[in-house]
Amino acid sequence: MLLAAAIATLALFLFESSFSNAAGFLVGSLAGPVMLGWFLADDNARRAAGRYGDWARLPVRRLASAVCALGWILGGVHVYFLAQELTR
């Protein structure tokens, strides 16, 4: 997910705004929830196997869900600006 965010940030600086908004939408709204699903499936497998240790102060599942929700919201912002660019 960090690599996808880095690629999207690079696209923001190098390409025109419609491409960067499309990349931001794809990473935030599509890739983020898919990666969250993969993480939760792996997390469930580790919990079921009994070889799991969660952070004491901040639960990892809650943190991953919050990061995904933030990415989804920002992906929505990108799709708004992409629609605005395409309808001009």
Side-chain angles (χ1 to χ4, degrees), residues 31-62:
V34 169
M35 287 186 234
L36 177 65
W38 284 336
F39 167 76
L40 291 177
D42 185 55
D43 189 53
N44 287 337
R46 288 181 186 204
R47 286 178 189 251
R51 49 188 174 97
Y52 183 82
D54 201 0
W55 294 349
R57 296 181 188 241
L58 185 64
V60 176
R61 293 174 73 93
R62 186 174 296 164

Side-chain angles (χ1 to χ4, degrees), residues 7 10-13 16 18 22 31 33 36-37 39 42 45 48 53 55 60-61 63 65 70 80 84:
I7 291 170
L10 183 63
L12 286 171
F13 290 116
E16 63 185 53
S18 63
L36 177 65
F39 167 76
D42 185 55
W55 294 349
V60 176
R61 293 174 73 93
L63 177 65
S65 297
L70 179 64
Y80 171 77
Q84 195 174 33

